[in-house]
Amino acid sequence: EYTAIEGFEEIWAAQQGIAVIKKGAKMGYVNYKGQIVLPAEYDQVENYEQIWKTSSGLARAQKNGKFGFIDHNGQEVLPVEYD
């Protein structure tokens, strides 16, 4: 259960078995097993609901003022290095 995951200030509603997590000002993803899919080191990540509504299956992520795209496994498909 997501509420049992410790160490995060916020855990947002799950979509497709993935929830957005927040630790300090940073965001990431956790799966339904409580495993970190994307570490909470991004300034902003899209909610997974938006990913599954697109045909690309990718989410935009922001880190240090730069943007890139991640997939449903938390892998940077397009590195987070673009303005």
Side-chain angles (χ1 to χ4, degrees), residues 3-45:
T3 56
I5 301 169
E6 296 182 15
F8 300 100
E9 294 154 8
E10 295 181 39
I11 300 175
W12 299 341
Q15 298 292 327
Q16 300 295 326
I18 300 291
V20 175
I21 52 174
K22 187 172 181 184
K23 186 172 186 175
K26 302 297 182 177
M27 301 171 79
Y29 296 130
V30 64
N31 68 17
Y32 69 95
K33 295 179 181 178
Q35 299 166 326
I36 303 300
V37 176
L38 184 70
E41 57 187 39
Y42 293 83
D43 301 322
Q44 184 176 7
V45 294

